[in-house]
Amino acid sequence: MTEQERYAVSQEERKEKIRARYKGVDRSELEFIPAKQKEKLFEDTGTKRVCAYCRVSTDDVNQTSSYELQKNHYEDMIKEHQGWELVGIYADEGISGTSLQHRDEFNQMIEDCKVGKIDLIVTKSVSRFARNIVDCIAKVRELANMRPQVGVFFETEHIYTLDNTSEMMLAVLSAAAQEESHTKSEIMNISIEQRFSRGIFLTPKLLGYDIGEDGNLVINEEEAETVRLCYYLFLNGFPTAEIADILTQLKRKTKPGNIKWSSSSIVSLLRNERYCGDVLSRKTFTPNYLDHKAKKNRHDRNQYRQSDHHEAIVDRDIYNAAQKMLTAARYAKKGFPFPNLKVVDEGALKGFVSVNRSWTGFTGEDYEKASQSAYSDQTDINDTEKEERKDSGFDLSGYEIVRAQFFSTRLNPAMTISEGKVTFNTACLKKFENVEYVEILFNSVEKCIAVRPCDKDDINAVKWGTIRNGKWAVLPKSCKGFSEPLFDLMNWNDECRYRFRGQYSKKNNEQILLFDLEEPEVIKHEIIQEDLPDVNTSEGVKNTENKEENKTKKIVRTLFPKQWKNHFGCRTEEVVLLHRVKYCGNWDVLRPAKTVEGMEVISENLLKKLDNEAQNMIEKMRCAV
C-alpha cells in the first residue's frame, strides 16, 4: 500500500469515529432537569421592591398636573400589585430627557439600584426614561447586569427589559424618541429665529427691571440704583472685584435675592446692552440638543439688535465708555482709568497717534480719524513744507537711490510685525544707544510708524530691549490690541510677517526712527510637497525609513513690492522717506500727544459728576443698611 493510500484510509477511520461519537447515547439513560421558567412580570407574585420614575420637561405651572397625576398613578399601581413593595417615587421636574447630566432624581435612583434597594423600576414610556438612545440602552444594560438584576417596565410600550426580546424593541423606540427630540429642537430653533427676525425678543429676569403686563421691561428704581452705582464706580477706576466687595458690604441684592457679589457678576452686568435700552438676541446658542451645553455666539447663528427697545437705566455714552474700558481690561495704570487716543498736533510728528500696544477696542477708522484731526487742511503736504525739505541739506534730487531693502538688514534698523507681536532688531537699539523705553506712534495719513525715546513711567512706554552681558538683547512685544486694526487698515494678510526698514534721524539731542509702511517686505512660510532624493547611509544603503517625511519641505518666501521688479535703483526728484520729517524749522519730535477733541471715551467733567453721584448713592445705601 502506498503512502497516499495509507493516508486516505487513516482519514476515513477518523471520520467514522467522529460520526459514532455524535450519534450520542440513548436519551432514556439521561436525567432531564428543566430550567426554571421565567414568570411574566404581572403573573409573578413574588416579593419585589419597586420604585417609579416620572418626569416633566418644563417647570411651567401648567405641567404640575401632569407631574402629580404620574406620581399618584404609580403610587396606586404599586400598592395594588400583590408582592410589590413601594420603595419610593423618583421625580425630575423641569428637566429635559435628552441628557442624564442634570437629572438628579434619576441618578439617585440608579445609585439606589447599585446598593440593592430596588428590584424593578416602573415608568410611563421610553421617552420619559431617556430620549438619548445611547443613554437608554446603556442604563438598561447596566441595570440588567447588576446582582440582583434590576428590570425596567415601560408602561405605554408594555416592554419589560429582562425579557429576551426587549432590547431590539427598546432600541427602535429609543431612536424614535431621540429623533422626536431632534425634530422638536429644530422646530424650536425655527420658531426662535422667526420671533427674533420680527423683533419679538425673550424677556428674562434682569436686575433693575420688572416685567410689565405687556411683557416689556419696566425700570425698578430700587434695583436700578445698584446698576447705576456699578457703572459710575467702574468708570471712575474701581476694579470689578472692589465693586463686588462694596455691593456685598452694602447688602445690595442680586435679582435672585442674594447679597454675595462676585467680579464676574459685575462684568456680566456691565456688558449687558439692555441697561442702555438695547436688546441683542441670541448671545449664546446650543449647538447640540443632546448635551444642552451653551456656547458663546461668535457669528455662528443669526443675531438681531434693536436700539431703544425699552427705557434705559444708564445713558448710552456711559454704557459705551464702560465697554471701551472692559475691552481694554489689560490696560490699567494709576491715574489713567480709561484709554484715549492722543495725537501730536504740531512739529515733525504732526498727525502721529501715540499707541499703547495693549489697547483693544479701537478700530482702524479710529486711528484714521485721530490722525486727520491734526491737519487743518487735509491735503498731504503743502508747498512750503516741500521747500523746507530742500533747504534742509538732505535734498538728493537727481541721484539714483538704491533701495536699502535689497541689502542685509542685520546692520540696518528694521521692525517686524506678525502674529500680534512687534520686534525691533538690535540695530534699532544701538541707534538709540542707552534707551530702554520708547514710545510707538502711528500716522494713518502718512502710513508711517515713528519710534521715539520716552520715560519709563510714560503711559505708553514700551521696553523694546535690555542689556545682557554687555550686549543689547531684543524683546519681542505683544501688540495684538494695535496690530489687529493696523492689519485691517493696511489690508495685510495676517498669515504673513511684514518687515520694514527704518530711517534714523537726530537733531539737538532729539532722535527718532521712522518706518514706511507702504512698501514692506512680506515674509511667508509655506509647506510644499516635494519628492526629495533618498539619503544614503555610510554603508551605501539607501535610507527609506523617513521617505514620507522627505516629501514635505518648509520654505520661507520673501516677497517685494511689484514696483521694485527689474530695477536696481530709481531716478527721483525727491527722497520718499525724507519727507516724513521736517528736518528744519519746527522739529520738536518730543512734543507730547494730546487727546483728540470729540474722541474722548468720556469727559473729565462727566466723570466727576458720576463720581459725586456714586458717593451720594453709597452714603444713602449705608444709611439704609
Side-chain angles (χ1 to χ4, degrees), residues 555-605:
I555 63 172
V556 179
R557 299 188 188 277
T558 302
L559 311 176
F560 296 97
K562 292 180 180 179
Q563 56 266 39
W564 297 7
K565 186 178 180 182
N566 298 327
H567 70 280
F568 180 69
C570 59
R571 293 279 178 179
T572 180
E573 296 300 323
E574 296 182 54
V575 181
V576 177
L577 279 177
L578 293 183
H579 83 270
R580 301 299 181 188
V581 176
K582 295 182 287 185
Y583 290 90
C584 64
N586 188 13
W587 174 271
D588 198 12
V589 297
L590 297 182
R591 186 180 184 88
K594 296 182 179 180
T595 302
V596 182
E597 186 176 351
M599 289 192 68
E600 306 98 329
V601 174
I602 191 169
S603 69
E604 293 290 338
N605 290 335

Side-chain angles (χ1 to χ4, degrees), residues 297-354:
N297 188 1
R298 292 184 171 89
H299 306 293
D300 300 291
R301 298 288 188 274
N302 295 335
Q303 289 184 288
Y304 301 90
R305 187 179 193 119
Q306 183 177 349
S307 299
D308 302 321
H309 173 268
H310 53 272
E311 188 178 358
I313 290 178
V314 296
D315 292 340
R316 191 174 299 277
D317 290 342
I318 293 174
Y319 173 80
N320 290 337
Q323 305 319 297
K324 284 281 187 182
M325 287 183 61
L326 287 167
T327 306
R330 291 175 58 193
Y331 174 83
K333 283 194 177 182
K334 189 175 181 180
F336 295 89
F338 51 86
N340 274 327
L341 289 183
K342 297 186 177 183
V343 65
V344 180
D345 58 352
E346 292 292 344
L349 295 182
K350 180 179 179 180
F352 279 79
V353 178
S354 183

